[in-house]
Amino acid sequence: MTQDELFKVLVAHCKEYGFIFPSSEIYDGLAAVYDYGQMGVELKNNIKQYWWNAMTRLNENIAGVDTCVFMHPKTWVASGHVAAFNDPLIDNKDSKKRYRADNLIEDYLGKIEEKMNKEVEKGRKRFGDAFDEEKFRQTNPNILREKAKYDEVHGRYVAAEAANDLKEYRQIIIDCGIVDPISGTANWTDVRQFNLMFSTQISNTGDADDRIYLRPETAQGIFVEYLNVQKTGRMKIPFGIAQIGKAFRNEIVARQFIFRMREFEQMEMEFFCRPGTEMEWFRKWKETRMKWHVNLGMGAENYRFHDHEKLAHYANAATDIEFNFPFGFKELEGIHSRTDFDLGNHQRLSGKKIQYYDPETSESYVPYCVETSIGVDRMFLAVLSHSYKNEKLENGETRVVLSIPAPLAPVKCAVLPLVNKDGLPEMAQDVMNELKFDFKCQYDPKDSIGKRYRRQDAVGTPFCVTIDHESLNDGCVTLRERDSMEQRRIPVAELRAVIDKEVNMNNLLRTL
Ligand code: ATP
């Protein structure tokens, strides 16, 4: 299966098994808005719990908040979103499709990189153990030709970005022969800037100054509550404030399922520190966040850092943690050193003093801040795309299994009476009643046991417990494990401990 096909299959699987539905589907859906179904909401909650506990329980100096979607309009002037939260968009006149001009150029550069990597792989195969990649990259004529092309376009792109030169964006697209993947033509409009914030009105008078925005990031809620949390929580610098919540962006290109949505959820943590120490904290949070990801066991090779060359107006250092999605390595999380930009601007615009008195240095200052920001939905997609497997079994059959890390799995244990009679359902219900206080369980009495196992595999349930006639006599059940498909008999009394060992979120937190 190509990566593209895998992605399509995944989207269909999400719908079929109650993970994700297109929003308002009975009205033919709403572009780039998705609803989470009965399985999806459990997985999503588990992801949030893993993050929330890692932040607010494992760090005594990180407090949580839950602030509102609506904020005073001045917030977005202070944050720079009113003036600068824009994407450069371009339309293809033939297909009538809209694209982000920067993405078109980045994809083009990505393809050149891919070509160079393929050339390297060919060399590796040809020269075997004697292969020296660095030397090969410096001497191979095909790579040198591609590299020169890459450097030229990349140089122009960075300069255009820095100068916000929209004409140059278009010229690069034309000069590189970038065509619309749908129409295949280079019949492009001019590039225009487009502000991504949604707006609505807060009162019913209809006055223009009633305009209010739906927050495009949760971080600003943290900044405006900084003083309240610092004072009431008696927080001492360095300390952090964490929040999980909805954010809204009127994305221009929204064709990548839940990777890029117009309504999505973020998990953000702002870490406040003494000016001058921010680089140390930036490095620390880069390392900490990477560890959080790798700890899930989805393969360290599937993550990489991508340091930003061009920094946002508020940052003095920034990196992305990228994940190997079915459509390539893309941003999963951003880590930014935001200096005193946000608190400083809120202080200026509100006229309220937002300062910290540092008893160690006897100085007052606006704290500096390092942000870690991850999309819940992107994390969901990372987990699901990595977990989806179409396996060929020894008996020639195939099965679809989601090998979701057990503590994140929507359902931890399925309870299955072998037949729906002879006292087996009653015993199965007793087992359910025993386990349901500790784990999300599912009771399923219908269809052959093989079919029921497949259904649970398809939603990633780590354990199935089967109750048969023998169970009534010996008080033992068959415990089947999802990934190995191994089955063993164990006493009902031991079930809780055996399942808990694998699925308990605390075990995951302990290895951080
Ligand atoms: P991108 O470059 O992909 O648009 P971004 O750099 O604008 O992302 P940030 O503003 O740094 O993203 O937001 C932090 C995180 O929020 C991202 O790493 C991503 O996980 C998530 N995120 C941002 N925009 C969206 C969206 N439209 N849909 C889903 N998740 C999003």
Side-chain angles (χ1 to χ4, degrees), residues 455-498:
R455 266 206 294 270
Q456 295 301 331
D457 287 343
V459 295
T461 306
F463 292 104
C464 288
V465 169
T466 304
I467 290 94
D468 56 24
H469 291 94
E470 200 47 37
S471 307
L472 297 175
N473 302 324
D474 64 4
C476 288
V477 291
T478 301
L479 185 71
R480 174 189 181 269
E481 201 269 332
R482 176 193 69 198
D483 297 336
S484 65
M485 292 188 290
E486 265 169 27
Q487 301 186 13
R488 61 186 159 126
R489 293 242 354 133
I490 70 164
V492 172
E494 287 176 21
L495 272 179
R496 210 198 67 80
V498 172

mmCIF file of all heavy atoms in Angstrom, residues 455-498:
data_model
loop_
_atom_site.group_PDB
_atom_site.id
_atom_site.type_symbol
_atom_site.label_atom_id
_atom_site.label_comp_id
_atom_site.label_asym_id
_atom_site.label_seq_id
_atom_site.Cartn_x
_atom_site.Cartn_y
_atom_site.Cartn_z
ATOM 1 N N ARG A 455 -13.092 -7.506 15.705
ATOM 2 C CA ARG A 455 -13.700 -6.194 15.983
ATOM 3 C C ARG A 455 -12.874 -5.433 17.022
ATOM 4 O O ARG A 455 -12.654 -4.239 16.892
ATOM 5 C CB ARG A 455 -15.119 -6.397 16.535
ATOM 6 C CG ARG A 455 -16.207 -6.348 15.482
ATOM 7 C CD ARG A 455 -17.539 -5.920 16.060
ATOM 8 N NE ARG A 455 -18.105 -6.866 17.017
ATOM 9 C CZ ARG A 455 -18.926 -7.875 16.678
ATOM 10 N NH1 ARG A 455 -19.238 -8.074 15.418
ATOM 11 N NH2 ARG A 455 -19.411 -8.663 17.608
ATOM 12 N N GLN A 456 -12.420 -6.155 18.043
ATOM 13 C CA GLN A 456 -11.639 -5.490 19.085
ATOM 14 C C GLN A 456 -10.257 -5.097 18.569
ATOM 15 O O GLN A 456 -9.737 -4.043 18.920
ATOM 16 C CB GLN A 456 -11.533 -6.385 20.329
ATOM 17 C CG GLN A 456 -12.869 -6.636 21.024
ATOM 18 C CD GLN A 456 -13.554 -5.341 21.488
ATOM 19 O OE1 GLN A 456 -12.913 -4.356 21.790
ATOM 20 N NE2 GLN A 456 -14.885 -5.360 21.537
ATOM 21 N N ASP A 457 -9.660 -5.963 17.726
ATOM 22 C CA ASP A 457 -8.364 -5.616 17.121
ATOM 23 C C ASP A 457 -8.488 -4.303 16.340
ATOM 24 O O ASP A 457 -7.607 -3.452 16.379
ATOM 25 C CB ASP A 457 -7.908 -6.709 16.135
ATOM 26 C CG ASP A 457 -7.444 -7.969 16.863
ATOM 27 O OD1 ASP A 457 -7.164 -7.887 18.082
ATOM 28 O OD2 ASP A 457 -7.353 -9.025 16.200
ATOM 29 N N ALA A 458 -9.604 -4.173 15.635
ATOM 30 C CA ALA A 458 -9.795 -3.019 14.749
ATOM 31 C C ALA A 458 -9.959 -1.707 15.511
ATOM 32 O O ALA A 458 -9.815 -0.626 14.930
ATOM 33 C CB ALA A 458 -10.999 -3.247 13.839
ATOM 34 N N VAL A 459 -10.278 -1.790 16.808
ATOM 35 C CA VAL A 459 -10.350 -0.542 17.592
ATOM 36 C C VAL A 459 -9.198 -0.470 18.600
ATOM 37 O O VAL A 459 -9.107 0.451 19.399
ATOM 38 C CB VAL A 459 -11.715 -0.365 18.312
ATOM 39 C CG1 VAL A 459 -12.832 -0.207 17.298
ATOM 40 C CG2 VAL A 459 -12.003 -1.489 19.288
ATOM 41 N N GLY A 460 -8.305 -1.455 18.547
ATOM 42 C CA GLY A 460 -7.084 -1.377 19.351
ATOM 43 C C GLY A 460 -7.226 -1.813 20.805
ATOM 44 O O GLY A 460 -6.428 -1.398 21.656
ATOM 45 N N THR A 461 -8.188 -2.667 21.114
ATOM 46 C CA THR A 461 -8.381 -3.117 22.506
ATOM 47 C C THR A 461 -7.245 -4.077 22.904
ATOM 48 O O THR A 461 -7.094 -5.135 22.283
ATOM 49 C CB THR A 461 -9.735 -3.842 22.642
ATOM 50 O OG1 THR A 461 -10.743 -2.965 22.133
ATOM 51 C CG2 THR A 461 -10.041 -4.209 24.083
ATOM 52 N N PRO A 462 -6.461 -3.721 23.920
ATOM 53 C CA PRO A 462 -5.285 -4.562 24.247
ATOM 54 C C PRO A 462 -5.653 -5.961 24.751
ATOM 55 O O PRO A 462 -4.905 -6.902 24.543
ATOM 56 C CB PRO A 462 -4.573 -3.784 25.356
ATOM 57 C CG PRO A 462 -5.147 -2.414 25.328
ATOM 58 C CD PRO A 462 -6.512 -2.508 24.736
ATOM 59 N N PHE A 463 -6.811 -6.111 25.438
ATOM 60 C CA PHE A 463 -7.139 -7.419 26.007
ATOM 61 C C PHE A 463 -8.581 -7.835 25.716
ATOM 62 O O PHE A 463 -9.490 -7.010 25.768
ATOM 63 C CB PHE A 463 -6.963 -7.411 27.536
ATOM 64 C CG PHE A 463 -5.527 -7.273 27.954
ATOM 65 C CD1 PHE A 463 -5.050 -6.066 28.444
ATOM 66 C CD2 PHE A 463 -4.647 -8.344 27.843
ATOM 67 C CE1 PHE A 463 -3.721 -5.934 28.822
ATOM 68 C CE2 PHE A 463 -3.321 -8.222 28.221
ATOM 69 C CZ PHE A 463 -2.856 -7.012 28.713
ATOM 70 N N CYS A 464 -8.755 -9.134 25.454
ATOM 71 C CA CYS A 464 -10.093 -9.716 25.399
ATOM 72 C C CYS A 464 -10.160 -10.816 26.453
ATOM 73 O O CYS A 464 -9.218 -11.611 26.586
ATOM 74 C CB CYS A 464 -10.369 -10.350 24.042
ATOM 75 S SG CYS A 464 -10.610 -9.155 22.729
ATOM 76 N N VAL A 465 -11.269 -10.832 27.174
ATOM 77 C CA VAL A 465 -11.473 -11.856 28.195
ATOM 78 C C VAL A 465 -12.651 -12.721 27.744
ATOM 79 O O VAL A 465 -13.752 -12.193 27.535
ATOM 80 C CB VAL A 465 -11.810 -11.203 29.554
ATOM 81 C CG1 VAL A 465 -12.287 -12.240 30.550
ATOM 82 C CG2 VAL A 465 -10.602 -10.450 30.092
ATOM 83 N N THR A 466 -12.415 -14.009 27.537
ATOM 84 C CA THR A 466 -13.495 -14.883 27.089
ATOM 85 C C THR A 466 -13.914 -15.825 28.216
ATOM 86 O O THR A 466 -13.065 -16.448 28.867
ATOM 87 C CB THR A 466 -13.055 -15.698 25.856
ATOM 88 O OG1 THR A 466 -12.628 -14.775 24.860
ATOM 89 C CG2 THR A 466 -14.200 -16.521 25.301
ATOM 90 N N ILE A 467 -15.229 -15.882 28.424
ATOM 91 C CA ILE A 467 -15.789 -16.748 29.460
ATOM 92 C C ILE A 467 -16.424 -17.956 28.770
ATOM 93 O O ILE A 467 -17.273 -17.783 27.884
ATOM 94 C CB ILE A 467 -16.857 -15.984 30.295
ATOM 95 C CG1 ILE A 467 -16.164 -14.912 31.159
ATOM 96 C CG2 ILE A 467 -17.659 -16.898 31.195
ATOM 97 C CD1 ILE A 467 -16.101 -13.575 30.576
ATOM 98 N N ASP A 468 -15.967 -19.164 29.128
ATOM 99 C CA ASP A 468 -16.544 -20.360 28.500
ATOM 100 C C ASP A 468 -17.170 -21.257 29.582
ATOM 101 O O ASP A 468 -17.183 -20.892 30.761
ATOM 102 C CB ASP A 468 -15.484 -21.107 27.679
ATOM 103 C CG ASP A 468 -14.277 -21.474 28.525
ATOM 104 O OD1 ASP A 468 -14.424 -21.588 29.761
ATOM 105 O OD2 ASP A 468 -13.178 -21.631 27.949
ATOM 106 N N HIS A 469 -17.646 -22.436 29.162
ATOM 107 C CA HIS A 469 -18.344 -23.294 30.119
ATOM 108 C C HIS A 469 -17.431 -23.707 31.270
ATOM 109 O O HIS A 469 -17.844 -23.801 32.408
ATOM 110 C CB HIS A 469 -18.921 -24.529 29.403
ATOM 111 C CG HIS A 469 -20.055 -24.154 28.496
ATOM 112 N ND1 HIS A 469 -19.883 -23.891 27.146
ATOM 113 C CD2 HIS A 469 -21.375 -23.963 28.753
ATOM 114 C CE1 HIS A 469 -21.046 -23.557 26.607
ATOM 115 N NE2 HIS A 469 -21.972 -23.601 27.562
ATOM 116 N N GLU A 470 -16.177 -23.950 30.946
ATOM 117 C CA GLU A 470 -15.209 -24.367 31.955
ATOM 118 C C GLU A 470 -15.062 -23.284 33.044
ATOM 119 O O GLU A 470 -14.826 -23.598 34.216
ATOM 120 C CB GLU A 470 -13.867 -24.638 31.240
ATOM 121 C CG GLU A 470 -12.864 -25.511 31.957
ATOM 122 C CD GLU A 470 -13.443 -26.784 32.537
ATOM 123 O OE1 GLU A 470 -14.335 -27.387 31.911
ATOM 124 O OE2 GLU A 470 -13.011 -27.132 33.656
ATOM 125 N N SER A 471 -15.210 -22.011 32.591
ATOM 126 C CA SER A 471 -15.041 -20.896 33.541
ATOM 127 C C SER A 471 -15.989 -21.019 34.727
ATOM 128 O O SER A 471 -15.662 -20.661 35.861
ATOM 129 C CB SER A 471 -15.310 -19.556 32.847
ATOM 130 O OG SER A 471 -14.543 -19.439 31.686
ATOM 131 N N LEU A 472 -17.202 -21.558 34.450
ATOM 132 C CA LEU A 472 -18.205 -21.684 35.521
ATOM 133 C C LEU A 472 -17.701 -22.621 36.611
ATOM 134 O O LEU A 472 -18.008 -22.443 37.795
ATOM 135 C CB LEU A 472 -19.530 -22.212 34.949
ATOM 136 C CG LEU A 472 -20.216 -21.318 33.910
ATOM 137 C CD1 LEU A 472 -21.447 -22.018 33.339
ATOM 138 C CD2 LEU A 472 -20.607 -19.971 34.524
ATOM 139 N N ASN A 473 -16.891 -23.619 36.188
ATOM 140 C CA ASN A 473 -16.381 -24.595 37.166
ATOM 141 C C ASN A 473 -15.098 -24.140 37.849
ATOM 142 O O ASN A 473 -14.960 -24.241 39.056
ATOM 143 C CB ASN A 473 -16.098 -25.947 36.477
ATOM 144 C CG ASN A 473 -17.344 -26.475 35.816
ATOM 145 O OD1 ASN A 473 -18.443 -26.298 36.356
ATOM 146 N ND2 ASN A 473 -17.186 -27.090 34.653
ATOM 147 N N ASP A 474 -14.126 -23.627 37.001
ATOM 148 C CA ASP A 474 -12.811 -23.371 37.605
ATOM 149 C C ASP A 474 -12.534 -21.900 37.903
ATOM 150 O O ASP A 474 -11.468 -21.550 38.408
ATOM 151 C CB ASP A 474 -11.684 -23.964 36.735
ATOM 152 C CG ASP A 474 -11.597 -23.297 35.363
ATOM 153 O OD1 ASP A 474 -12.361 -22.333 35.110
ATOM 154 O OD2 ASP A 474 -10.772 -23.731 34.544
ATOM 155 N N GLY A 475 -13.501 -21.010 37.574
ATOM 156 C CA GLY A 475 -13.297 -19.585 37.879
ATOM 157 C C GLY A 475 -12.151 -18.972 37.074
ATOM 158 O O GLY A 475 -11.626 -17.925 37.445
ATOM 159 N N CYS A 476 -11.770 -19.643 35.968
ATOM 160 C CA CYS A 476 -10.706 -19.097 35.111
ATOM 161 C C CYS A 476 -11.305 -18.633 33.782
ATOM 162 O O CYS A 476 -12.341 -19.135 33.356
ATOM 163 C CB CYS A 476 -9.636 -20.155 34.829
ATOM 164 S SG CYS A 476 -8.632 -20.516 36.264
ATOM 165 N N VAL A 477 -10.616 -17.694 33.128
ATOM 166 C CA VAL A 477 -11.072 -17.188 31.831
ATOM 167 C C VAL A 477 -9.890 -17.185 30.866
ATOM 168 O O VAL A 477 -8.743 -17.321 31.283
ATOM 169 C CB VAL A 477 -11.618 -15.747 31.964
ATOM 170 C CG1 VAL A 477 -12.913 -15.715 32.747
ATOM 171 C CG2 VAL A 477 -10.569 -14.833 32.598
ATOM 172 N N THR A 478 -10.206 -17.019 29.563
ATOM 173 C CA THR A 478 -9.111 -16.927 28.584
ATOM 174 C C THR A 478 -8.804 -15.455 28.353
ATOM 175 O O THR A 478 -9.694 -14.672 28.021
ATOM 176 C CB THR A 478 -9.534 -17.582 27.245
ATOM 177 O OG1 THR A 478 -9.863 -18.940 27.524
ATOM 178 C CG2 THR A 478 -8.405 -17.537 26.231
ATOM 179 N N LEU A 479 -7.549 -15.114 28.550
ATOM 180 C CA LEU A 479 -7.124 -13.735 28.311
ATOM 181 C C LEU A 479 -6.341 -13.715 27.008
ATOM 182 O O LEU A 479 -5.336 -14.400 26.854
ATOM 183 C CB LEU A 479 -6.231 -13.253 29.461
ATOM 184 C CG LEU A 479 -5.818 -11.789 29.390
ATOM 185 C CD1 LEU A 479 -7.012 -10.878 29.674
ATOM 186 C CD2 LEU A 479 -4.710 -11.496 30.404
ATOM 187 N N ARG A 480 -6.831 -12.919 26.043
ATOM 188 C CA ARG A 480 -6.157 -12.832 24.744
ATOM 189 C C ARG A 480 -5.518 -11.461 24.604
ATOM 190 O O ARG A 480 -6.134 -10.435 24.867
ATOM 191 C CB ARG A 480 -7.161 -13.048 23.613
ATOM 192 C CG ARG A 480 -6.553 -12.832 22.226
ATOM 193 C CD ARG A 480 -7.672 -12.839 21.200
ATOM 194 N NE ARG A 480 -7.210 -12.677 19.846
ATOM 195 C CZ ARG A 480 -7.087 -11.499 19.228
ATOM 196 N NH1 ARG A 480 -7.359 -10.389 19.868
ATOM 197 N NH2 ARG A 480 -6.698 -11.454 17.968
ATOM 198 N N GLU A 481 -4.271 -11.498 24.159
ATOM 199 C CA GLU A 481 -3.517 -10.250 24.031
ATOM 200 C C GLU A 481 -3.535 -9.802 22.570
ATOM 201 O O GLU A 481 -3.353 -10.611 21.662
ATOM 202 C CB GLU A 481 -2.098 -10.502 24.539
ATOM 203 C CG GLU A 481 -1.334 -9.283 24.958
ATOM 204 C CD GLU A 481 -0.538 -8.688 23.807
ATOM 205 O OE1 GLU A 481 -0.142 -9.439 22.895
ATOM 206 O OE2 GLU A 481 -0.365 -7.466 23.815
ATOM 207 N N ARG A 482 -3.786 -8.507 22.369
ATOM 208 C CA ARG A 482 -4.006 -7.969 21.016
ATOM 209 C C ARG A 482 -2.851 -8.177 20.040
ATOM 210 O O ARG A 482 -3.044 -8.737 18.964
ATOM 211 C CB ARG A 482 -4.299 -6.464 21.145
ATOM 212 C CG ARG A 482 -4.446 -5.725 19.843
ATOM 213 C CD ARG A 482 -4.403 -4.223 20.075
ATOM 214 N NE ARG A 482 -3.071 -3.783 20.488
ATOM 215 C CZ ARG A 482 -2.798 -2.628 21.083
ATOM 216 N NH1 ARG A 482 -3.776 -1.787 21.360
ATOM 217 N NH2 ARG A 482 -1.564 -2.305 21.413
ATOM 218 N N ASP A 483 -1.634 -7.750 20.430
ATOM 219 C CA ASP A 483 -0.540 -7.725 19.455
ATOM 220 C C ASP A 483 -0.007 -9.119 19.140
ATOM 221 O O ASP A 483 0.208 -9.460 17.983
ATOM 222 C CB ASP A 483 0.581 -6.804 19.936
ATOM 223 C CG ASP A 483 0.099 -5.367 20.045
ATOM 224 O OD1 ASP A 483 -0.886 -5.028 19.344
ATOM 225 O OD2 ASP A 483 0.672 -4.598 20.830
ATOM 226 N N SER A 484 0.191 -9.935 20.193
ATOM 227 C CA SER A 484 0.744 -11.279 19.964
ATOM 228 C C SER A 484 -0.355 -12.282 19.633
ATOM 229 O O SER A 484 -0.071 -13.366 19.136
ATOM 230 C CB SER A 484 1.484 -11.746 21.217
ATOM 231 O OG SER A 484 0.552 -11.885 22.278
ATOM 232 N N MET A 485 -1.581 -11.974 19.946
ATOM 233 C CA MET A 485 -2.759 -12.842 19.818
ATOM 234 C C MET A 485 -2.637 -14.069 20.730
ATOM 235 O O MET A 485 -3.355 -15.054 20.536
ATOM 236 C CB MET A 485 -3.002 -13.258 18.360
ATOM 237 C CG MET A 485 -3.426 -12.091 17.496
ATOM 238 S SD MET A 485 -3.934 -12.598 15.856
ATOM 239 C CE MET A 485 -2.401 -13.091 15.176
ATOM 240 N N GLU A 486 -1.700 -14.012 21.657
ATOM 241 C CA GLU A 486 -1.525 -15.142 22.573
ATOM 242 C C GLU A 486 -2.700 -15.235 23.533
ATOM 243 O O GLU A 486 -3.257 -14.223 23.953
ATOM 244 C CB GLU A 486 -0.236 -14.960 23.373
ATOM 245 C CG GLU A 486 0.927 -15.701 22.718
ATOM 246 C CD GLU A 486 2.258 -15.323 23.319
ATOM 247 O OE1 GLU A 486 2.278 -14.928 24.510
ATOM 248 O OE2 GLU A 486 3.249 -15.420 22.595
ATOM 249 N N GLN A 487 -3.044 -16.497 23.851
ATOM 250 C CA GLN A 487 -4.157 -16.706 24.780
ATOM 251 C C GLN A 487 -3.659 -17.529 25.959
ATOM 252 O O GLN A 487 -2.869 -18.445 25.786
ATOM 253 C CB GLN A 487 -5.273 -17.474 24.081
ATOM 254 C CG GLN A 487 -5.786 -16.755 22.853
ATOM 255 C CD GLN A 487 -6.990 -17.439 22.233
ATOM 256 O OE1 GLN A 487 -7.596 -18.305 22.846
ATOM 257 N NE2 GLN A 487 -7.329 -17.051 21.032
ATOM 258 N N ARG A 488 -4.124 -17.161 27.146
ATOM 259 C CA ARG A 488 -3.778 -17.983 28.308
ATOM 260 C C ARG A 488 -4.928 -17.961 29.286
ATOM 261 O O ARG A 488 -5.727 -17.015 29.314
ATOM 262 C CB ARG A 488 -2.493 -17.488 28.963
ATOM 263 C CG ARG A 488 -2.580 -16.080 29.474
ATOM 264 C CD ARG A 488 -1.231 -15.629 29.963
ATOM 265 N NE ARG A 488 -1.141 -14.194 29.998
ATOM 266 C CZ ARG A 488 -0.793 -13.493 31.065
ATOM 267 N NH1 ARG A 488 -0.501 -14.094 32.189
ATOM 268 N NH2 ARG A 488 -0.744 -12.181 31.020
ATOM 269 N N ARG A 489 -4.973 -19.021 30.103
ATOM 270 C CA ARG A 489 -6.062 -19.101 31.099
ATOM 271 C C ARG A 489 -5.568 -18.486 32.381
ATOM 272 O O ARG A 489 -4.472 -18.791 32.846
ATOM 273 C CB ARG A 489 -6.439 -20.570 31.381
ATOM 274 C CG ARG A 489 -7.049 -21.237 30.218
ATOM 275 C CD ARG A 489 -8.401 -21.776 30.165
ATOM 276 N NE ARG A 489 -9.385 -21.895 31.179
ATOM 277 C CZ ARG A 489 -10.638 -21.516 30.955
ATOM 278 N NH1 ARG A 489 -10.968 -20.936 29.812
ATOM 279 N NH2 ARG A 489 -11.560 -21.718 31.865
ATOM 280 N N ILE A 490 -6.399 -17.604 32.945
ATOM 281 C CA ILE A 490 -6.021 -17.063 34.253
ATOM 282 C C ILE A 490 -7.258 -16.951 35.138
ATOM 283 O O ILE A 490 -8.383 -16.810 34.644
ATOM 284 C CB ILE A 490 -5.292 -15.699 34.174
ATOM 285 C CG1 ILE A 490 -6.233 -14.570 33.733
ATOM 286 C CG2 ILE A 490 -4.083 -15.739 33.276
ATOM 287 C CD1 ILE A 490 -5.637 -13.205 34.032
ATOM 288 N N PRO A 491 -7.065 -17.037 36.451
ATOM 289 C CA PRO A 491 -8.201 -16.887 37.366
ATOM 290 C C PRO A 491 -8.779 -15.471 37.273
ATOM 291 O O PRO A 491 -8.012 -14.522 37.113
ATOM 292 C CB PRO A 491 -7.588 -17.110 38.753
ATOM 293 C CG PRO A 491 -6.275 -17.759 38.524
ATOM 294 C CD PRO A 491 -5.816 -17.326 37.162
ATOM 295 N N VAL A 492 -10.097 -15.361 37.378
ATOM 296 C CA VAL A 492 -10.770 -14.057 37.324
ATOM 297 C C VAL A 492 -10.133 -13.098 38.327
ATOM 298 O O VAL A 492 -9.930 -11.914 38.052
ATOM 299 C CB VAL A 492 -12.283 -14.215 37.617
ATOM 300 C CG1 VAL A 492 -12.954 -12.856 37.771
ATOM 301 C CG2 VAL A 492 -12.952 -15.000 36.492
ATOM 302 N N ALA A 493 -9.770 -13.644 39.492
ATOM 303 C CA ALA A 493 -9.225 -12.803 40.556
ATOM 304 C C ALA A 493 -7.913 -12.124 40.162
ATOM 305 O O ALA A 493 -7.543 -11.111 40.752
ATOM 306 C CB ALA A 493 -9.014 -13.654 41.814
ATOM 307 N N GLU A 494 -7.237 -12.678 39.145
ATOM 308 C CA GLU A 494 -5.945 -12.073 38.758
ATOM 309 C C GLU A 494 -6.061 -11.079 37.603
ATOM 310 O O GLU A 494 -5.103 -10.402 37.253
ATOM 311 C CB GLU A 494 -4.953 -13.186 38.348
ATOM 312 C CG GLU A 494 -4.437 -13.968 39.522
ATOM 313 C CD GLU A 494 -3.549 -15.127 39.084
ATOM 314 O OE1 GLU A 494 -3.018 -15.098 37.957
ATOM 315 O OE2 GLU A 494 -3.396 -16.060 39.888
ATOM 316 N N LEU A 495 -7.267 -11.030 36.990
ATOM 317 C CA LEU A 495 -7.439 -10.214 35.783
ATOM 318 C C LEU A 495 -7.030 -8.755 35.972
ATOM 319 O O LEU A 495 -6.272 -8.195 35.189
ATOM 320 C CB LEU A 495 -8.918 -10.223 35.362
ATOM 321 C CG LEU A 495 -9.393 -11.332 34.433
ATOM 322 C CD1 LEU A 495 -10.880 -11.148 34.175
ATOM 323 C CD2 LEU A 495 -8.613 -11.307 33.127
ATOM 324 N N ARG A 496 -7.549 -8.186 37.059
ATOM 325 C CA ARG A 496 -7.348 -6.757 37.274
ATOM 326 C C ARG A 496 -5.862 -6.383 37.260
ATOM 327 O O ARG A 496 -5.428 -5.461 36.578
ATOM 328 C CB ARG A 496 -7.981 -6.330 38.602
ATOM 329 C CG ARG A 496 -8.469 -4.898 38.610
ATOM 330 C CD ARG A 496 -8.672 -4.408 40.019
ATOM 331 N NE ARG A 496 -7.396 -4.312 40.718
ATOM 332 C CZ ARG A 496 -6.544 -3.298 40.572
ATOM 333 N NH1 ARG A 496 -6.846 -2.292 39.786
ATOM 334 N NH2 ARG A 496 -5.401 -3.292 41.215
ATOM 335 N N ALA A 497 -5.070 -7.174 38.014
ATOM 336 C CA ALA A 497 -3.641 -6.862 38.135
ATOM 337 C C ALA A 497 -2.906 -7.040 36.802
ATOM 338 O O ALA A 497 -2.064 -6.216 36.430
ATOM 339 C CB ALA A 497 -3.012 -7.749 39.209
ATOM 340 N N VAL A 498 -3.265 -8.102 36.072
ATOM 341 C CA VAL A 498 -2.572 -8.382 34.808
ATOM 342 C C VAL A 498 -2.871 -7.271 33.780
ATOM 343 O O VAL A 498 -1.962 -6.766 33.103
ATOM 344 C CB VAL A 498 -2.996 -9.764 34.244
ATOM 345 C CG1 VAL A 498 -2.433 -9.976 32.846
ATOM 346 C CG2 VAL A 498 -2.533 -10.864 35.177
#
